[in-house]
Each structure stands twice: as C-alpha cells, then as structure tokens.
Amino acid sequence: MAFTLDQYRLDGKVAIVTGAGGRGNSIGRAYALGLANAGAAVVVADLNQDGANAVAEEIKAAGGKAIGVRVDVSDEASAKAMAAAAIEAFGGVDILVNNAALMVDVSYDSIETVSLEAWNKAFAVNLTGALLCARAVAPSMRERGGGRIVNQTSGGAFPATSLNGISKLALVGLTTSLAKQWGKDGITCNAIAPGNVKSDAGKLLVPDDSPFIQFLQATCATRPRGEPDELVGALLLLCSPAGEWITGQTIHIDGGWVMRP
C-alpha cells in the first residue's frame, strides 16, 4: 500500500504520557498535546495531580479526549493504578511515553561523592519507573495486538558524565531489551534523546547565560537549543503506523550535538 500522511494519525488509540503535568512549558505537555492533535485519547499522568488535570483540560478544550491521573512511577502499585485508569476511561492502552524523570532535582555531585540516597532515587524514577510503567501497560497492549513504548533519554548520556546521564544511558539498555523481548508481541520500544530544550525545567537547569550554552553554540551543527514542540514529530513517527518497523532505536533531536554512526 502506498504511503499516505494518514499513517501518522492516531485516531482510536489511547496514549499515556508520564511527567506531562509538571513545570509549565514542558516536554511532557508538548507530547500530550501532540498525541491528542493526532487523534489519540491521552492519559496525562504526573506526580502533580493539579498539573495533570490542567493539561488534560487544555486537551479537552481543544476538542480532544483526556484525563489527568496522579502517578508515582517509582511505585509499582501506582503504575498499575495508572494503567487501570486508562483502561477504565478509554478501554485500553496502545502507547506509553515514559517521560517522567528527575532532571533538575537530580544530584550533580561528582560520582565519587554523590550519596547513595541520591543515586538510588535517580535510578528509581529514571530507570525503574520506566520499567514499572511498561510492565503495567504490556498486558493491555498485547490484548490489543501490540503497542508503542517511547522512553525519554538524553543527549547527556552520550557520553554519560553525571548521575543523570548514567541513569539515562541505562534507560537506553532497557529500551533495547524491551524491543527485543516484546517485539514478537507487536510492541515496539524506542527512545528519544533531546538536546538542550527551552522548557521551563531546561531553562531552570541551564540558564541562557550558562557557559554550557556557549559550549553548545560551538558544538552543535545548527542551533544549540530547541523548543519542546520540536520533539513531537519524532514522537508521532515512533507512535504511529508510519513507524511500525522501527524498534530498539534512539533518535537524537539536538541540532547535531550528538552524532552517532
């Protein structure tokens, strides 16, 4: 069958986006709105219930379908409750975007001095949280003939030079493992590795006058910073029928900061 733009549509699909109700202009919010614009019903999941509800209301005001759900991705029972809420509201789960993560709040102490408490907390959210959410939705995806999982890693994992980068590089390993083990079930698993994004959290962590911005200016092939919306096109490819044959991959969206063969 010839390719058409309709293959990017998600009508009738149900998507969960974790970490989608956090700090204002966020990547999670952009993902949730993008999936809704493509026709999916969206479960906006976040530790911040009010934030999740606000993004869900924004989707509904534009004519889409959405609910806000509170979730602690590091807690197995909470992840299962999130999946159950999606099934109760919309009948199942087709898409999971593991966007929830510690970034601003993660420790940036040296690996020699970072506390084990900070280390374990970062991995509990950034890695184990993605695993728990994937396990929670997998039965529904299998019942519906397959699904799409997209994990949010980071350009800072290539190479990993901080606790955040280490946890995000480990997430790439989870991505390839899920892709390999669940592929025969029709479930694909890929990752998006953003560069420096001008989200509220990104600007808080890396202000405009940060020396790191000057480094990126000299390093990136094009622009050193992007907007949250600039990640949505890759997400729709990975979640839609257009990307059905893509799995186990990490897509870098960073203006040419990280280039891998």
Side-chain angles (χ1 to χ4, degrees):
M1 185 177 76
F3 175 81
T4 70
L5 290 177
D6 287 341
Q7 288 177 298
Y8 285 97
R9 294 293 306 172
L10 296 172
D11 301 290
K13 300 298 184 181
V14 180
I16 296 175
V17 184
T18 66
R23 294 178 172 89
N25 179 34
S26 69
I27 293 173
R29 172 182 170 274
Y31 282 165
L33 295 178
L35 291 166
N37 286 337
V42 180
V43 176
V44 181
D46 202 281
L47 192 60
N48 177 358
Q49 177 76 71
D50 290 340
N53 289 342
V55 174
E57 289 301 320
E58 190 175 356
I59 290 171
K60 290 191 285 186
K65 297 179 181 179
I67 59 170
V69 172
R70 185 186 183 278
V71 66
D72 176 355
V73 298
S74 67
D75 179 80
E76 184 173 22
S78 185
K80 288 181 176 180
M82 174 188 69
I87 293 168
E88 181 180 359
F90 301 120
V93 182
D94 304 289
I95 297 162
L96 169 66
V97 184
N98 279 315
N99 172 73
L102 295 179
M103 184 179 73
V104 175
D105 300 324
V106 76
S107 173
Y108 286 90
D109 291 343
S110 73
I111 297 305
E112 182 178 4
T113 62
V114 66
S115 71
L116 287 181
E117 180 183 8
W119 177 279
N120 291 335
K121 183 177 180 181
F123 274 84
V125 177
N126 293 2
L127 180 65
T128 306
L131 173 64
L132 294 178
C133 291
R135 286 179 173 179
V137 303
S140 181
M141 287 184 173
R142 292 188 180 104
E143 288 177 5
R144 292 162 75 88
R148 305 282 182 268
I149 298 172
V150 180
N151 295 326
Q152 183 91 324
T153 181
S154 169
F158 304 91
T161 58
S162 67
L163 172 55
N164 184 57
I166 294 169
S167 68
K168 290 297 191 176
L169 187 57
L171 184 58
V172 174
L174 177 62
T175 300
T176 55
S177 294
L178 291 179
K180 187 69 173 179
Q181 294 180 26
W182 292 359
K184 298 304 183 184
D185 296 325
I187 300 172
T188 67
C189 187
N190 294 285
I192 291 175
N196 197 269
V197 178
K198 290 189 283 187
S199 62
D200 287 359
K203 289 189 290 185
L204 183 63
L205 185 64
V206 184
D208 290 336
D209 59 355
S210 167
F212 186 59
I213 296 299
Q214 300 304 315
F215 165 76
L216 289 177
Q217 187 73 55
T219 304
C220 291
T222 59
R223 291 179 281 117
R225 306 190 90 167
E227 299 288 345
D229 286 345
E230 294 184 270
L231 305 175
V232 175
L235 179 72
L236 294 183
L237 170 63
L238 297 176
C239 292
S240 69
E244 185 176 1
W245 206 35
I246 304 171
T247 197
Q249 306 304 309
T250 297
I251 298 179
H252 292 267
I253 309 173
D254 58 13
W257 172 28
V258 177
M259 295 188 182
R260 298 194 299 157

